[in-house]
Amino acid sequence: MTNLKKQKVTEEEAPQGISKLPDQLLLQILSLLPTKDAFRTCLVSPTWRRLPTLIDSFNFTCSTDREREDFSFIQNALAHSLSSKIIKFKLDLTDLSLSDCSFRPEYETLISGCFSFAVEREVENVLLWSQYSYGCTLPESLCTCSSLITLDVKHCGFNNAVISWNSLKSIKLGHLMLTDVEMVKLLAGCPALETMELYSYTGFHRLEINSLKLKTLKLKDYVRSDGNGDDLEILAPYIQHLEISGEDLKCRLVDASSVVNAKLIYSFTCIKGIPSTYVEDCCRDYRQVVYTLVQDNLQKLCYATDLTIGTWFTQVMCTLQFKGLPISELNCKYLTLMLHMTTFNMYGVAGLLRVSPHVETISIELEYTLLDDFPMYNFCCNSELLDLAKEDNMDLLSGVSSVEFHNLKKVKVVISSDACWKDHVKRGFEKVTKLSEYMLLNAPVLENFVIIISKRRSEKRQDTSNASRDLLCSNSFDALLETTGKQVRKNESSALVSNTIDLGEDSLDEDGVDLGEDSLDEDEEDNRLDIFFDREAREGDISPRQ
């Protein structure tokens, strides 16, 4: 592919060409930018001077050491706004470090003023990310905003506020504490809610959703507050899309009978660290409770057609099989396994496949990170370690009873790593080879088998090329092809091994030249914005150009 030469446009020609666009289109473009950048952009042309006062979406971000400058700009921008309807209002305060306690009143006044302005103009979409150390209370005016459609809030409490969001369809709440009573009130105040996402949340132990409209529920990083006695019960008979992720979570699905798409990638650790002379007995009883929960949860999701499972579940599945405990048959047609390269359990994966006779497509996403050098085995008790260690001495093909996957047509294995590829091959590819062999030999109607090796941006291209070649030419890979080659050809299946490189988003042009930074520093640009606001105050309202 030949490189196209860049066309240079003179400063006089640029505004004239762009200014031919309709005002409405220019406003849509400006609304996609951070608000300060939109104002700065309009300073380059006198004909654009009134455009920023007409934008209907605001995106404000405050940075450390520039609190007063940023606050002043926000207040000026809102004071000069002529828009009668606000589509989106974003206020991101997470980068602030409010070391000066006297600045706290201005912080609270800013939040209150921003959302009073937004509610008066019937805002539809709100994002409020408060600063961690100075988490705020949700403004009272926002709690009863009837025009609100989507809400994204972080580090912001409700403080027993009366919630009335009759038009709200999507809510995302993070880093907050809600009691069971507050959660009930929240759901009751959102009768039109369709999607709920909670992350880094705590407080409540029961989540009961009886709305017929709420179809999607995402829960991430439940923070346990009362030690190992905590658990989370979910009763959601009409939810169709369920996602639960995080660590140290004891979750019980009471009713999830309508779920068709489920993602379970959470984990739970042993309680061996509790000081007690009966720790082994306590640990054994506790593990039995957790294993029963996993059995029950899988049974509750047995009718889901699209299922995603994480690494911890493969370890539990391994133990369940060794103990001869029953596992409900799954009806999923699409199975995704999100696994850590060094800690996933092949025997557990094989067991999961055995109880999924209807599966047609399997996607295995294997990731190896530097954190895998410190496996979660350190938190396992002796009994768990013994069960997991059995896999090391087991032949997967002989250790698992023969079963054929009569509906399996497509398999995709994606391997990604941020570590050295040679170490990656040594530590993980042998397990991938055995698992691939197991699937290839037991899938009589297999049509497509793909292995993708994905590279992180932190590694050089040459390193990627060499490592990928080493991987594809490794003894393990040769053994896989030799063992399964006849099976693949017999069924006219295709075994494809490909290599992809993620280069990331570097600030370089196509010729590798640094594109540099803006010619004006932030203080100079703020001075130009101050001049703009002063001129607006003197001249008064000026109608936009025809």
Side-chain angles (χ1 to χ4, degrees):
M1 181 182 297
T2 59
N3 292 329
L4 299 177
K5 294 183 178 179
K6 299 178 180 178
Q7 296 181 352
K8 294 184 178 180
V9 182
T10 64
E11 184 176 354
E12 292 77 11
E13 293 173 337
Q16 294 177 1
I18 299 176
S19 295
K20 294 180 180 178
L21 296 175
D23 280 346
Q24 194 60 36
L25 180 56
L26 288 172
L27 288 172
Q28 290 182 16
I29 296 173
L30 292 172
S31 295
L32 298 175
L33 298 173
T35 304
K36 181 172 283 190
D37 291 342
F39 273 76
R40 289 169 175 170
T41 301
C42 292
L43 294 177
V44 304
S45 173
T47 59
W48 295 354
R49 189 162 62 91
R50 299 296 294 148
L51 289 179
T53 64
L54 301 175
I55 60 176
D56 56 10
S57 292
F58 293 91
N59 181 352
F60 297 116
T61 301
C62 296
S63 57
T64 303
D65 300 327
R66 298 190 62 83
E67 296 96 340
R68 298 190 185 280
E69 291 84 353
D70 290 336
F71 282 22
S72 177
F73 168 76
I74 294 173
Q75 293 167 348
N76 279 322
L78 299 184
H80 290 84
S81 174
L82 301 177
S83 179
S84 60
K85 174 71 176 178
I86 303 301
I87 302 300
K88 182 176 181 179
F89 195 100
K90 175 181 177 180
L91 181 60
D92 183 359
L93 305 174
T94 53
D95 288 337
L96 290 179
S97 81
L98 302 179
S99 56
D100 184 0
C101 295
S102 63
F103 200 60
R104 174 75 189 214
E106 296 182 46
Y107 179 81
E108 296 176 345
T109 300
L110 174 75
I111 295 175
S112 177
C114 282
F115 291 101
S116 293
F117 165 87
V119 171
E120 289 175 0
R121 288 160 175 78
E122 299 181 338
V123 63
E124 294 182 355
N125 307 281
V126 165
L127 184 148
L128 172 56
W129 291 352
S130 179
Q131 204 273 343
Y132 173 72
S133 301
Y134 288 87
C136 66
T137 300
L138 204 65
E140 184 176 350
S141 59
L142 191 59
C143 293
T144 56
C145 180
S146 60
S147 60
L148 201 60
I149 297 177
T150 69
L151 177 65
D152 185 343
V153 173
K154 179 164 65 174
H155 293 306
C156 196
F158 289 84
N159 196 24
N160 294 318
V162 176
I163 301 299
S164 180
W165 291 322
N166 294 328
S167 302
L168 190 68
K169 294 184 178 181
S170 175
I171 188 170
K172 183 177 181 180
L173 304 175
H175 299 274
L176 83 163
M177 179 176 180
L178 288 174
T179 65
D180 288 317
V181 174
E182 289 173 330
M183 177 56 70
V184 171
K185 292 181 178 180
L186 173 62
L187 292 172
C190 308
L193 195 63
E194 299 175 357
T195 299
M196 170 179 276
E197 181 175 352
L198 306 177
Y199 62 97
S200 299
Y201 57 99
T202 188
F204 61 92
H205 303 290
R206 180 178 175 86
L207 182 57
E208 183 172 353
I209 301 174
N210 293 312
S211 171
L212 294 174
K213 296 182 179 180
L214 185 50
K215 300 296 184 182
T216 300
L217 176 63
K218 297 181 180 181
L219 304 175
K220 181 179 180 181
D221 296 332
Y222 177 65
V223 180
R224 296 163 59 79
S225 58
D226 299 326
N228 289 286
D230 275 4
D231 61 2
L232 176 63
E233 289 188 348
I234 300 176
L235 196 156
Y238 305 110
I239 288 291
Q240 295 183 0
H241 308 281
L242 176 65
E243 179 177 333
I244 306 176
S245 60
E247 297 179 358
D248 203 24
L249 172 61
K250 190 169 71 171
C251 176
R252 182 191 303 275
L253 297 179
V254 179
D255 190 348
S257 52
S258 299
V259 170
V260 295
N261 185 318
K263 187 175 183 179
L264 304 179
I265 52 176
Y266 64 88
S267 63
F268 196 81
T269 56
C270 183
I271 61 170
K272 68 172 186 176
I274 299 178
S276 172
T277 56
Y278 305 102
V279 65
E280 284 299 325
D281 292 336
C282 293
C283 188
R284 182 173 58 253
D285 295 340
Y286 196 64
R287 288 198 314 273
Q288 185 58 47
V289 172
V290 173
Y291 295 155
T292 301
L293 279 178
V294 171
Q295 288 177 285
D296 291 345
N297 288 346
L298 289 177
Q299 192 278 329
K300 294 294 194 306
L301 299 173
C302 65
Y303 295 108
T305 57
D306 193 336
L307 187 61
T308 299
I309 297 294
T311 296
W312 180 72
F313 272 81
T314 67
Q315 298 174 357
V316 176
M317 290 290 292
C318 173
T319 302
L320 292 177
Q321 291 180 95
F322 284 140
K323 296 184 179 301
L325 299 176
I327 305 171
S328 299
E329 182 177 293
L330 303 175
N331 289 279
C332 65
K333 294 184 178 181
Y334 306 95
L335 178 62
T336 300
L337 302 175
M338 300 181 66
L339 310 174
H340 287 281
M341 181 68 82
T342 58
T343 57
F344 86 90
N345 189 281
M346 289 190 298
Y347 192 62
V349 172
L352 189 60
L353 297 179
R354 288 178 58 200
V355 296
S356 307
H358 307 288
V359 67
E360 298 176 0
T361 300
I362 295 177
S363 177
I364 302 178
E365 301 176 12
L366 288 156
E367 183 178 20
Y368 177 79
T369 67
L370 296 178
L371 293 178
D372 287 330
D373 291 331
F374 308 94
M376 289 299 293
Y377 293 157
N378 295 332
F379 302 96
C380 296
C381 61
N382 292 332
S383 178
E384 287 178 310
L385 289 174
L386 289 174
D387 287 338
L388 296 174
K390 293 178 182 178
E391 180 199 30
D392 296 335
N393 301 318
M394 176 179 293
D395 182 351
L396 187 61
L397 296 178
S398 61
V400 180
S401 60
S402 178
V403 61
E404 286 193 343
F405 311 118
H406 294 286
N407 297 296
L408 183 58
K409 297 179 180 180
K410 296 181 179 181
V411 176
K412 180 180 179 181
V413 181
V414 180
I415 307 172
S416 61
S417 171
D418 61 6
C420 174
W421 272 104
K422 292 184 178 180
D423 292 339
H424 181 68
V425 173
K426 293 177 182 178
R427 300 178 183 180
F429 193 67
E430 184 177 352
K431 296 174 69 175
V432 179
T433 302
K434 292 180 179 180
L435 183 59
S436 300
E437 182 181 358
Y438 174 73
M439 290 187 290
L440 284 168
L441 290 175
N442 292 282
V445 297
L446 188 66
E447 297 176 355
N448 186 265
F449 192 100
V450 181
I451 298 178
I452 298 177
I453 305 167
S454 179
K455 201 60 176 153
R456 300 296 179 90
R457 63 172 294 182
S458 60
E459 299 173 341
K460 298 179 181 179
R461 297 188 187 185
Q462 187 62 37
D463 292 342
T464 305
S465 177
N466 293 338
S468 301
R469 183 174 62 252
D470 293 342
L471 177 61
L472 299 182
C473 296
S474 65
N475 294 332
S476 298
F477 186 73
D478 289 340
L480 172 62
L481 294 181
E482 182 179 353
T483 304
T484 61
K486 293 183 180 180
Q487 179 75 11
V488 174
R489 288 193 295 270
K490 177 181 178 182
N491 295 288
E492 297 181 353
S493 303
S494 59
L496 170 64
V497 181
S498 61
N499 176 52
T500 62
I501 303 174
D502 183 4
L503 298 180
E505 298 179 357
D506 295 327
S507 59
L508 301 177
D509 68 3
E510 59 188 4
D511 297 321
V513 179
D514 192 344
L515 299 180
E517 301 179 352
D518 294 337
S519 58
L520 295 178
D521 63 24
E522 198 158 1
D523 289 330
E524 291 174 329
E525 290 179 333
D526 284 343
N527 289 335
R528 294 185 64 182
L529 289 173
D530 290 339
I531 295 174
F532 167 82
F533 288 126
D534 290 341
R535 182 186 301 158
E536 289 297 303
R538 290 196 309 270
E539 298 179 2
D541 291 342
I542 302 176
S543 300
R545 62 184 176 86
Q546 298 298 322

